[in-house]
């Protein structure tokens, strides 16, 4: 020990005898990865996970939910939710019926998810493995656990990755989850779990197709799972080769003036030169470095406006949607009314989308305004369409 102390002493003296001031460089403190016990404000569940993980929390009267994401990741890898039923399931048959209802009707990703297997676990919970279709024809592996604690139904959803270390961490985390029936939740039905989400923007019903003129389209809709109205949302798609080289990209804005919490809006990205021959996949992103949500954004729609509409095809196969827009308010002026149309085929794929600004830029209370818009290119046989109208204050 003496030799070590002497060496340090000599170095300090040499530094002090120099002409410059001595500066001590602090040693960077590594991120604290020790477990943190998280308890949902309702008391419905607890979990232990690294304290550096991100959290999105929902605390409603009838729903407890939280999503967790690893450091530097935007999308959650773990979601936990709970509701309390009016009474506990009577028997195993009732539990099976609840699980079937959740998997087939209630899940937030119904239409993109397919169950692959189901297994009873040793702790009384059930594990269901499944596949979730993502944008760009990619597939996520999802493990869903359902736990019945008296009248409380708890759901844990884990997205598996190609990172073995992250998967091991997720396994350790979910083994610490505990649900409680002694929470502040008011009783509700199991379909309340449909409102448990990650608080992010998510692409739904995405479809890629080629128009007769050779243009390549990627169409879909965006779901707003945040707590605020989002406006002028940029959407970007980059096409890649099999070896990960970016070929080309397209950038546009989600249609309509914005998306209210829990709402949807279509997008349509067009590659006029067609799909490059080496394209193997694409990546999609919403927002960019320069985009910020507009604080306190206000949109008018069904609360102030009503509309009638009908659709017909021209001889050239173009879709025309026409109708009338009415300001039903008692004294609210609506400005810049905008139509947004989403066209689906019988497989719920979005095969076209478009928007149109109504000619009248100001709609007075009680005023009726006609409109007509054209959808020139459609990537399939239409089965139905959705028309949404929004205006600004």
């Amino acid at each position: 020990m003496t030799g070590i102390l002497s060496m340090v002493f000599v170095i300090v003296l040499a530094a002090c005898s120099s002409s410059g001031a001595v500066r001590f460089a602090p040693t960077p403190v590594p991120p604290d990865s020790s477990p943190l016990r998280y308890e949902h404000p309702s008391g419905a569940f607890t979990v232990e996970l690294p304290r550096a993980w991100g959290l999105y929390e929902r605390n409603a009267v009838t729903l407890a939910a939280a999503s967790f994401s690893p450091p530097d990741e935007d999308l959650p890898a773990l979601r936990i939710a709970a509701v309390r039923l009016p009474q506990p399931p009577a028997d195993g048959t009732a539990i099976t019926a609840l699980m079937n209802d959740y998997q087939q009707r209630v899940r937030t990703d119904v239409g993109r998810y397919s169950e692959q297997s189901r297994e009873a676990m040793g702790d009384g919970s059930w594990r269901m493995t499944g596949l979730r279709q993502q944008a760009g024809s990619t597939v996520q592996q999802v493990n869903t656990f359902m736990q019945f604690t008296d009248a409380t139904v708890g759901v844990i959803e884990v997205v598996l990755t190609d990172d073995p270390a992250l998967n091991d961490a997720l396994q350790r985390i979910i083994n610490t989850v505990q649900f409680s029936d002694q929470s502040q939740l008011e009783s509700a039905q199991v379909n309340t779990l449909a409102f448990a989400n990650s608080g992010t923007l998510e692409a739904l019903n995405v479809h890629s197709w080629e128009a007769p003129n050779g243009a390549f389209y990627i169409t879909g809709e965006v779901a707003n799972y945040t707590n605020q109205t989002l406006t002028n949302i940029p959407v970007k798609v980059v096409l890649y080769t099999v070896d990960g080289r970016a070929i080309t990209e397209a950038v546009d804005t989600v249609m309509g003036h914005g998306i209210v919490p829990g709402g949807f809006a279509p997008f349509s990205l067009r590659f006029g030169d067609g799909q490059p021959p080496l394209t193997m996949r694409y990546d999609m992103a919403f927002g960019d470095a320069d985009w910020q949500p507009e604080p306190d954004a206000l949109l008018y729609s069904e609360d102030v406006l009503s509309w009638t509409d009908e659709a017909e095809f021209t001889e050239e196969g173009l879709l025309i949607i026409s109708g009338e827009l009415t300001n039903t308010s008692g004294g609210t002026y609506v400005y810049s009314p905008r139509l947004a149309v989403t066209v689906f085929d019988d497989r719920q794929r979005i095969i076209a989308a478009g928007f149109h600004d109504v000619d009248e830029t100001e709609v007075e209370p009680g005023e009726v305004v006609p409109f007509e818009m054209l959808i020139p290119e459609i990537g399939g046989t239409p089965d139905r369409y959705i028309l949404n109208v929004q205006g600004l204050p």
Side-chain angles (χ1 to χ4, degrees):
M1 290 291 295
T2 303
I4 296 175
L5 289 174
S6 298
M7 184 179 297
V8 173
F9 185 65
V10 171
I11 293 175
V12 172
L13 284 180
C16 290
S17 63
S18 65
S19 57
V22 176
R23 298 182 182 275
F24 293 98
T27 302
V29 178
D32 189 352
S33 60
S34 60
L36 173 71
R37 185 178 184 270
Y38 167 83
E39 180 175 3
H40 191 271
S42 69
F45 60 84
T46 61
V47 61
E48 292 184 7
L49 72 165
R51 61 187 66 235
W53 280 44
L55 163 68
Y56 175 81
E57 183 179 89
R58 289 184 69 90
N59 183 22
V61 174
T62 57
L63 172 67
S67 301
F68 304 92
S69 56
D72 302 321
E73 293 288 339
D74 295 326
L75 297 178
L78 172 67
R79 300 178 182 179
I80 306 174
V83 297
R84 185 157 61 185
L85 303 175
Q87 58 186 15
D91 50 30
T93 300
I95 288 177
T96 299
L98 283 168
M99 288 192 294
N100 290 341
D101 192 30
Y102 178 81
Q103 288 288 85
Q104 298 167 14
R105 187 180 64 88
V106 176
R107 296 183 63 100
T108 59
D109 53 4
V110 168
R112 301 183 296 122
Y113 170 89
S114 61
E115 182 177 330
Q116 304 297 305
S117 68
R118 184 179 299 188
E119 180 182 3
M121 309 302 290
D123 61 355
S125 65
W126 287 79
R127 181 183 65 194
M128 291 155 286
T129 66
L131 299 177
R132 176 192 292 153
Q133 193 72 29
Q134 295 291 95
S137 300
T138 60
V139 175
Q140 282 183 335
Q141 298 183 57
V142 182
N143 276 196
T144 302
F145 298 85
M146 293 194 72
Q147 176 78 52
F148 297 86
T149 306
D150 294 327
T152 296
V153 180
V155 176
I156 305 171
E157 183 180 288
V158 182
V159 178
L160 303 184
T161 72
D162 296 329
D163 183 350
L166 177 56
N167 290 338
D168 288 344
L170 287 168
Q171 182 170 312
R172 290 192 297 270
I173 292 169
I174 63 176
N175 283 325
T176 69
V177 177
Q178 292 186 341
F179 293 98
S180 171
D181 198 50
Q182 305 301 312
S183 67
Q184 300 174 7
L185 292 177
E186 297 181 6
S187 62
Q189 299 300 323
V190 71
N191 58 10
T192 305
L193 290 167
F195 298 96
N197 50 60
S198 61
T200 61
L201 293 171
E202 186 173 346
L204 304 175
N205 304 314
V206 178
H207 181 45
S208 59
W209 49 278
E210 187 175 284
N213 62 7
F216 178 61
Y217 282 85
I218 296 178
T219 47
E221 59 186 344
V222 179
N224 178 6
Y225 290 145
T226 73
N227 289 323
Q228 66 181 117
T229 296
L230 302 178
T231 59
N232 302 316
I233 305 168
V235 54
K236 176 181 177 180
V237 167
V238 182
L239 306 183
Y240 290 91
T241 62
V242 67
D243 58 356
R245 179 173 58 87
I247 307 173
T248 186
E249 65 180 44
V251 181
D252 207 338
T253 304
V254 174
M255 296 177 182
H257 286 303
I259 316 177
V260 298
F264 305 84
F267 65 86
S268 178
L269 293 175
R270 183 179 188 272
F271 296 83
D273 295 330
Q275 178 180 346
L278 298 179
T279 302
M280 292 299 295
R281 67 176 181 88
Y282 62 84
D283 285 349
M284 182 179 299
F286 302 111
D288 54 36
D290 299 323
W291 176 74
Q292 293 292 331
E294 179 183 350
D296 303 321
L298 177 62
L299 302 176
Y300 294 136
S301 190
E302 291 96 337
D303 52 341
V304 174
L305 302 170
S306 67
W307 55 89
T308 61
D309 57 277
E310 60 181 11
E312 62 177 337
F313 281 94
T314 67
E315 294 181 356
E316 295 80 13
L318 307 180
L319 176 62
I320 296 178
I321 298 174
S322 58
E324 289 184 335
L325 169 67
T326 304
N327 183 340
T328 58
S329 72
T332 301
Y333 283 75
V334 178
Y335 297 90
S336 304
R338 176 173 292 176
L339 317 175
V341 173
T342 312
V343 184
F344 298 82
D345 65 8
D346 59 2
R347 297 171 58 187
Q348 300 307 305
R349 299 178 303 182
I350 294 177
I351 56 175
F355 75 94
H356 173 72
D357 289 329
V358 176
D359 292 338
E360 294 289 336
T361 58
E362 176 186 282
V363 185
E364 300 178 358
E367 184 177 2
V368 179
V369 177
F371 63 80
E372 182 177 281
M373 69 175 297
L374 173 70
I375 307 293
E377 294 178 325
I378 301 178
T381 302
D383 180 68
R384 65 184 181 93
Y385 71 88
I386 295 175
L387 171 63
N388 189 35
V389 184
Q390 295 175 333
L392 300 176

